[in-house]
Amino acid sequence: MNRYLRWYASLHKFYRILFWASISVGAFGVVAGLATESVPMAGLGVFWLVGGPAVIFLASLFDSE
């Protein structure tokens, strides 16, 4: 857990905003999918919850700063 907190603390502000935006969109998608019983919508929300932070992690690895 300490490793992930250090990773998040070392992120540039732009990546932090993208991180929270992807978490928010994913959470909204999961809740909306479960509320409407729409499996594709819930799947899209899970994709955002998992894929968004993963893409941000990869982008932060290649950041030249």
Side-chain angles (χ1 to χ4, degrees), residues 1-64:
M1 182 73 169
N2 190 18
R3 182 175 141 215
Y4 299 114
L5 288 175
R6 287 180 190 262
W7 169 75
Y8 178 77
S10 68
L11 283 178
H12 189 270
K13 188 175 182 178
F14 177 71
Y15 288 133
R16 288 185 191 179
I17 292 169
L18 287 179
F19 177 82
W20 286 110
S22 69
I23 295 294
S24 300
V25 168
F28 178 76
V30 168
V31 170
L34 293 176
T36 61
E37 298 179 358
S38 172
V39 175
M41 184 68 174
L44 188 63
V46 170
F47 174 76
W48 270 95
L49 282 174
V50 175
V55 169
I56 294 166
F57 176 75
L58 290 175
S60 69
L61 287 179
F62 296 111
D63 194 15
S64 63

